[in-house]
Amino acid sequence: MSLRKRRLPFEIGRALFFGKGWLTPGFGLHYIHLSAPGTTETGGGDADLYVHGGRYHSLRMPVGAKWSRDYMGGGIVWSPEVRAFYVREMADDSARARISFAGVRDVSFESGSGQWGRNSARLGIGLGAMVSSRLNARLDYDVEVYNHTTADTFSATLGVMW
């Protein structure tokens, strides 16, 4: 099975000096399209499950701001950051899969994620460290809160310039 994903993010903002740091209000549009072909389980004969191909679209508009500030300490430039965004989903607010047995594909049932809502809040923190003009590192943690669920993301980045 080959899942195809198209992601087109667009964001715009303006950094303003505020409270000894930088406040960057902004908004964006994030479009995601997922499509998967149908696939069949193997090893069970007529009892194998067949998952019909499907598509999912998401068009989200985040509106919010981030605040960051640089500190010098121990020869390292530290850059903490705080982010807060309201996110509005304007396309699909749930994902569904149609499933049947391989022997009787005409009789199917549907499984879904449930509706997670059109409104969410994305909150995040980050910490960057520039060790030299050639080496930097960053840690980020974001949580997105929906009506009935939450999703969180942790990322670490190490950058080397040569």
Side-chain angles (χ1 to χ4, degrees), residues 95-159:
R96 301 205 173 284
R98 196 164 58 99
I99 303 163
S100 60
F101 290 106
V104 255
R105 288 192 182 178
D106 295 338
V107 179
S108 64
F109 57 94
E110 198 171 84
S111 176
S113 65
Q115 292 182 327
W116 50 76
R118 297 216 175 265
N119 301 306
S120 65
R122 185 184 313 140
L123 307 170
I125 57 173
L127 178 63
M130 185 176 288
V131 179
S132 69
S133 62
R134 296 179 173 258
L135 179 64
N136 60 59
R138 183 156 185 88
L139 295 173
D140 285 293
Y141 177 74
D142 290 280
V143 63
E144 195 155 342
V145 180
Y146 299 90
N147 289 349
H148 304 291
T149 189
T150 60
D152 58 340
T153 306
F154 175 77
S155 64
T157 307
L158 178 63

Side-chain angles (χ1 to χ4, degrees), residues 1-41:
M1 182 168 103
S2 174
L3 178 68
R4 291 185 312 202
K5 178 180 180 181
R6 289 186 202 127
R7 184 173 188 255
L8 301 169
F10 170 78
E11 293 183 1
I12 190 167
R14 169 101 172 132
L16 307 166
F17 192 71
F18 180 79
K20 297 184 182 180
W22 293 95
L23 178 67
T24 308
F27 70 95
L29 285 174
H30 298 178
Y31 174 72
I32 296 175
H33 170 78
L34 298 174
S35 64
T39 186
T40 305
E41 204 176 36

